[in-house]
Amino acid sequence: MASLAARSGGMLPRRSQTSAASLERAIDEDGPPAVAPAAFDASRRSQTSSAIPDHHCVEHAPEDAYSAELAELKESHKKLKQAVRLRVHKAMADHNTHVATSKKFAETSLGTIAGWITAQTFYFIILRGLDPLGIDRLLESFLARLIYAVLASILVPVLDWSLSNKMSDSEHFLADQVHLVKICLPMFFAWAWKDVISAAFALAGESLLIQIATALAVTSAMVVVETLPTFRRARQAMKERGGSDSLFERMVAMLGNLALAVGFAWNTVFSRVPKHFFSLVKAPMFVFMVQVVYYVLMTTFIILIAMRLRAWKRQRHQEKQEHAEAEKAHDPERGYSQLVVHRVSSIAADAEVAGLSVVISALHFVYAWAQLDTVNALFFTYLLRCDGPGTCGYQYNFYFALIATLVFARAAAAMKLEGRLTKWNRESAALMIKAFSMNTGWAWASYCKTAITDAGTYVAFDPMW
């Protein structure tokens, strides 16, 4: 706080400056001095004296005025300190949120790219090994994807478990590389099984019934997995013990990353609607307009469903806790019929909570693909007159990936800092933030695909990507 001498522009006499310094020290020490300064301003003394008619209070007026002014200054100083403290804390919290959001954004994007390029590399190697069998091309592709998914289901948990405690507290460059590998491993597993679903759809043709049946089967399998007590215990062990959990628990917990395959299956079903209109009219403007309408409708539908499902999930979770408490308080003398009822109700609540969690995660991926298809329709179809990223050159894919990185990263950080008052806005912000990071990785994956395809035109090499 500036001193009183400084407020006077350095024009106070030496004795007045000493008084001002004493006053300032008194304010900073949160208490008035024992004796008022001797050199109090004469004009202030006369004004105060004239304002008090009672002659018995005249000699105490300077001290009373000084105490009132001091109390006012102390209160102003306290409010100022509180305002500065709140401002600093908010700035630090915003900075930490921005750093955490950027880190999560980069990790998800990197995991998406690494998952795709790893899956494609192993797929190509396995496919070359299956060529001598001379089987149908689509069946061969499905078998190659399935073999890689089985290998990923075994090797990814083993690597994740073996690297769980490696250099966790080190700041060495190698520790950073180990951390990058660990955050990419779940995406290796998720992408492998997503490609199995994609190859199965290609093998079965464009049958809507088969696609719906496959989506329902994958969703049901995911719900069953998350309902199992073994899966819940394994996931809880990973959260509580970190790297001290067993390899079996790590393999079971890895099954929770199948949400990408579930989301891809349902996105294939839902995206048939705009693709039907695309087949009728090829005009770029029409394609873009249809995709925008589909994106708006799907966004509204997903947000409404997600809000209802989250409320339902909270209700079922509360009922599950009530059944668990009832089981603990059960009296054996009253028989086991009531215990069986509570146990069955608890299992049903577990299944419902698991099912709601799977559906919500799948809807997030469906939204992400709808968003990606919309920006692809704008950039590649409408502006560049291409059928999609795969038909445009790698140069345009590079420009698109660069623009998506800058825009999506900035938007994700800004939306994370903004406070959302309504449930609708909070749900929509959560959807977009998750989709931004995934779609950025997907944009770079498209660039890698087109760049590799272009490189294959200069050599006798078919990348089949």
Side-chain angles (χ1 to χ4, degrees):
M1 191 174 90
S3 64
L4 297 178
R7 292 182 182 180
S8 303
M11 299 301 294
L12 290 174
R14 183 178 184 87
R15 188 172 180 182
S16 298
Q17 292 179 5
T18 304
S19 250
S22 302
L23 178 59
E24 182 178 357
R25 285 196 300 270
I27 295 174
D28 290 336
E29 292 173 0
D30 293 334
V35 181
F40 197 84
D41 188 86
S43 59
R44 179 63 61 89
R45 188 189 299 271
S46 60
Q47 293 174 2
T48 307
S49 301
S50 59
I52 304 177
D54 192 354
H55 68 279
H56 295 289
C57 299
V58 172
E59 60 180 4
H60 299 289
E63 293 185 6
D64 294 341
Y66 167 76
S67 299
E69 184 177 1
L70 181 59
E72 183 180 354
L73 289 175
K74 286 173 57 179
E75 185 66 23
S76 300
H77 184 242
K78 182 178 179 181
K79 293 180 179 180
L80 180 61
K81 288 195 299 183
Q82 291 177 350
V84 171
R85 186 181 298 110
L86 291 176
R87 186 180 183 87
V88 171
H89 287 176
K90 184 179 183 304
M92 293 177 62
D94 291 347
H95 174 73
N96 293 336
T97 302
H98 179 76
V99 172
T101 304
S102 302
K103 181 180 178 181
K104 182 65 176 178
F105 182 92
E107 290 177 351
T108 304
S109 301
L110 177 63
T112 305
I113 301 170
W116 173 84
I117 199 168
T118 304
Q120 292 301 106
T121 302
F122 278 89
Y123 167 72
F124 171 74
I125 296 173
I126 298 172
L127 200 62
R128 288 301 186 188
L130 296 177
D131 280 343
L133 300 179
I135 58 179
D136 180 72
R137 185 69 170 181
L138 293 178
L139 179 59
E140 185 182 41
S141 176
F142 173 76
L143 291 177
R145 296 293 188 186
L146 183 60
I147 292 173
Y148 171 67
V150 173
L151 292 175
S153 301
I154 299 173
L155 297 178
V156 167
V158 172
L159 289 174
D160 190 26
W161 178 72
S162 61
L163 297 175
S164 57
N165 288 327
K166 299 297 183 182
M167 301 182 179
S168 57
D169 298 329
S170 176
E171 297 182 357
H172 193 269
F173 172 77
L174 185 59
D176 295 333
Q177 306 309 310
V178 171
H179 176 70
L180 291 177
V181 172
K182 288 193 294 185
I183 64 176
C184 292
L185 286 176
M187 188 58 74
F188 294 166
F189 176 86
W191 204 284
W193 285 104
K194 189 275 296 182
D195 286 340
V196 171
I197 301 298
S198 178
F201 285 160
L203 182 63
E206 296 295 328
S207 174
L208 176 61
L209 293 178
I210 293 180
Q211 291 179 352
I212 294 177
T214 304
L216 289 174
V218 176
T219 304
S220 301
M222 185 72 178
V223 172
V224 172
V225 168
E226 294 203 359
T227 306
L228 294 175
T230 305
F231 174 81
R232 297 200 305 271
R233 287 195 299 266
R235 186 166 55 181
Q236 190 67 24
M238 286 185 60
K239 293 180 180 180
E240 293 179 354
R241 299 200 300 266
S244 63
D245 55 321
S246 65
L247 177 60
F248 175 75
E249 291 174 334
R250 191 62 62 101
M251 297 180 71
V252 173
M254 188 61 65
L255 297 175
N257 294 298
L258 289 173
L260 179 64
V262 178
F264 176 80
W266 285 111
N267 178 71
T268 304
V269 175
F270 292 137
S271 61
R272 291 176 63 97
V273 176
K275 288 180 180 179
H276 172 71
F277 290 99
F278 298 160
S279 62
L280 300 178
V281 181
K282 298 293 185 179
M285 173 63 80
F286 178 79
V287 171
F288 174 63
M289 291 176 61
V290 170
Q291 185 59 47
V292 170
V293 173
Y294 170 76
Y295 172 71
V296 173
L297 293 178
M298 286 302 299
T299 301
T300 304
F301 171 75
I302 290 174
I303 292 177
L304 289 175
I305 295 298
M307 290 172 58
R308 294 293 181 88
L309 292 181
R310 290 189 190 279
W312 192 8
K313 181 180 177 181
R314 287 192 296 268
Q315 181 181 356
R316 291 296 180 267
H317 187 71
Q318 184 178 359
E319 293 178 359
K320 175 186 172 182
Q321 292 179 343
E322 293 176 356
H323 290 308
E325 293 176 358
E327 288 184 20
K328 293 180 180 179
H330 174 69
D331 186 6
E333 297 181 357
R334 300 178 59 184
Y336 289 94
S337 59
Q338 187 177 5
L339 178 61
V340 171
V341 171
H342 288 306
R343 183 63 56 85
V344 173
S345 301
S346 178
I347 295 175
D350 289 339
E352 290 186 13
V353 171
L356 295 173
S357 299
V358 171
V359 172
I360 292 174
S361 299
L363 289 177
H364 277 87
F365 287 110
V366 172
Y367 171 82
W369 268 299
Q371 184 189 86
L372 179 64
D373 291 340
T374 303
V375 295
N376 282 341
L378 171 63
F379 188 84
F380 293 104
T381 305
Y382 179 64
L383 297 180
L384 300 179
R385 302 300 180 95
C386 300
D387 292 336
T391 58
C392 280
Y394 68 91
Q395 300 93 335
Y396 294 115
N397 278 272
F398 177 81
Y399 299 149
F400 175 75
L402 184 61
I403 294 173
T405 303
L406 297 176
V407 174
F408 287 168
R410 181 69 176 178
M415 295 181 67
K416 193 70 175 179
L417 293 176
E418 293 179 354
R420 306 287 171 173
L421 299 179
T422 63
K423 294 181 180 180
W424 178 279
N425 289 338
R426 288 195 297 269
E427 192 66 41
S428 61
L431 284 172
M432 284 188 278
I433 291 173
K434 292 181 180 180
F436 286 155
S437 56
M438 176 183 171
N439 290 337
T440 299
W442 210 297
W444 284 108
S446 298
Y447 159 71
C448 294
K449 180 179 180 179
T450 53
I452 295 172
T453 303
D454 181 77
T457 60
Y458 295 95
V459 294
F461 173 72
D462 181 16
M464 297 182 295
W465 289 12

